[in-house]
Amino acid sequence: MVTDTAMRQNHDYSTRFAPSPTGLLHLGHAFSALSAYDAAMSAGGKFILRIEDTDLGRCRPEFTQAIFEDLAWLGIEWESPVRHQSEHFEEFAAALKKLRETGVLYRCFRTRKEMEDAALSAPHGFRDGIDGVFKPIHISPDEEAARIANGEAFAWRLSAARAADMLVGRNLEFEEIGIGVIKVDPFLNGDVILARKDNHASYHLCAVHDDALQNISHIIRGEDLKIATHIQVVLQALLGYRAPKYQHHQLILDENGKRFAKRDKAQTLRHLRENGVAPEQIRERLGLRN
Ligand code: GLU
C-alpha cells in the first residue's frame, strides 16, 4: 500500500540551506532557510541542512549548535544525518586533485597582504565577490620550483582562462527559476582560490562537490551569491557534475536599507527569540506565509 506521505514524496526535488557557523543566524538567514524549506515542502521534496565549516579558524561548534536550535525554533525539519564539511576534507582533496590533473589550476604565492595592496591600487577596486576578482600573475617554472623548495605557502587558483578554453563548445548556463536561462561568464569571478594552506578547500569547491553528492536539485539562496553561481557552474562542468536549478532571492534589509551582518546582534534569531518574538512573527516580518 502506498501511504499518503510516500505518494507526496518527490525524489527529484531537494533543496539545501548551507550556513557557515561563524556567528549567530540573523533574519537574512531565516529568509533563505525558510524559503528553501517552504519550496521543498510544497514540492514534496527534501530539505537538507549542511554545515559549511571548512574555515577552521572562524567556525565554532557553539554556532553550529545555535543553527540547530534556531532552525528548529523556526519550525524547520531537516534530513539526518547532517553533513559537516569539516569531516570530509579528504573528499575535497580528491576533487582538487582531479582538477589539478587537468591542468586548470595553478599555484599562487601572493600573500593576503599583497592581495589587499593590489586591491587598493586596482583602478576599479575589487568586485564584491566571495574572493574578489583576481588576475593572475605569471611566474616562471624556475621561480615556482624555487618557491616550492623554499617551503613558501601558496593557494591553488582556478585559471578562468584555462577553464574557458577547456569548456569551449559547452553550453555554460544555469536556469534561474522564474527568470530563465542565464549564460555563464567564466571570467566574472576572476581566478578563484580553491584551496589554501590554512584552509584545505574553499567554499566554491566544497559547495559544488556537496551539492552534487547530496543530489541538490534546487539551490535557493540570496542574490549576493548569484556571482558565485557563475564559477560554481564552471566547476560543475569541469568535475562532470549535474547543474542544479537556482533561485537567488532578494536580500532582507534592515530599516536603514543595509544588509544584515553577523555582528547585528539585535537581529539575530537568538536575540529575537530571547526577547519573546514568536516564529510566526518572523515569517510575517519576512513576508512569508504562516
Ligand atoms: N556557506 C555559505 C554561506 O553561508 C553558503 C552559501 C550557499 O548557499 O551556497 O554563505
Side-chain angles (χ1 to χ4, degrees):
M1 200 183 87
V2 184
T3 64
D4 247 21
T5 329
M7 270 181 356
R8 273 189 275 109
Q9 254 179 23
N10 176 354
H11 296 289
D12 296 329
Y13 194 107
S14 44
T15 61
R16 48 64 158 189
F17 176 56
S20 298
T22 55
L24 292 170
L25 298 186
H26 53 65
L27 281 173
H29 294 111
F31 188 70
S32 294
L34 286 167
S35 302
Y37 180 69
D38 290 356
M41 292 307 106
S42 64
K46 274 190 192 169
F47 174 82
I48 287 172
L49 169 64
R50 184 168 78 222
I51 303 295
E52 299 207 325
D53 54 354
T54 55
D55 187 341
L56 301 177
R58 292 174 61 227
C59 294
R60 302 258 178 286
E62 59 270 31
F63 293 132
T64 300
Q65 194 48 40
I67 289 170
F68 295 145
E69 286 168 21
D70 290 342
L71 295 184
W73 173 72
L74 285 174
I76 291 178
E77 288 173 22
W78 53 88
E79 302 283 317
S80 16
V82 171
R83 184 169 168 92
H84 295 245
Q85 290 190 324
S86 60
E87 293 166 7
H88 301 281
F89 280 121
E90 72 298 339
E91 285 179 42
F92 306 130
L96 188 78
K97 183 161 177 272
K98 195 169 160 192
L99 289 173
R100 261 171 46 204
E101 286 168 356
T102 69
V104 77
L105 305 187
Y106 64 91
R107 292 181 181 84
C108 170
F109 290 89
R110 286 179 111 187
T111 62
R112 277 178 208 255
K113 169 90 177 69
E114 283 167 347
M115 294 291 294
E116 280 159 19
D117 292 348
L120 288 177
S121 61
H124 306 295
F126 265 34
R127 213 181 324 226
D128 188 19
I130 283 209
D131 294 316
V133 170
F134 178 82
K135 297 272 185 314
I137 294 190
H138 294 289
I139 57 171
S140 69
D142 283 352
E143 183 181 347
E144 181 175 39
R147 290 179 134 195
I148 295 171
N150 229 0
E152 278 183 46
F154 60 84
W156 284 108
R157 282 187 187 272
L158 178 77
S159 161
R162 286 184 215 163
D165 275 355
M166 283 173 64
L167 297 171
V168 141
R170 294 277 296 271
N171 249 0
L172 287 183
E173 55 188 32
F174 62 91
E175 186 177 334
E176 178 74 22
I177 297 161
I179 296 202
V181 171
I182 297 191
K183 273 228 116 5
V184 161
D185 175 0
F187 296 95
L188 193 59
N189 294 256
D191 288 356
V192 294
I193 289 184
L194 294 190
R196 50 170 121 235
K197 200 179 166 208
D198 56 355
N199 188 7
H200 317 292
S202 80
Y203 157 66
H204 295 298
L205 181 66
C206 304
V208 162
H209 176 274
D210 282 359
D211 287 336
L213 182 84
Q214 298 186 298
N215 275 319
I216 304 297
S217 63
H218 291 70
I219 294 184
I220 299 171
R221 58 186 181 189
E223 66 185 10
D224 53 333
L225 287 162
K226 201 165 182 177
I227 292 178
T229 299
H230 288 253
I231 202 62
Q232 293 182 6
V233 172
V234 167
L235 284 172
Q236 285 153 8
L238 290 169
L239 287 162
Y241 297 154
R242 193 170 60 112
K245 294 184 177 159
Y246 291 85
Q247 187 176 340
H248 296 94
H249 61 71
Q250 280 191 338
L251 297 180
I252 299 296
L253 303 175
D254 66 13
E255 39 304 342
N256 303 317
K258 290 233 175 72
R259 280 173 59 171
F260 289 116
K262 287 187 170 157
R263 60 185 173 277
D264 295 333
K265 287 249 163 11
Q267 304 303 340
T268 62
L269 300 181
R270 162 86 53 98
H271 180 90
L272 294 166
R273 175 156 50 106
E274 284 173 358
N275 282 274
V277 176
E280 297 74 31
Q281 291 173 291
I282 302 279
R283 277 190 170 269
E284 235 163 77
R285 184 154 166 197
L286 296 172
L288 295 169
R289 268 191 296 146
N290 261 306

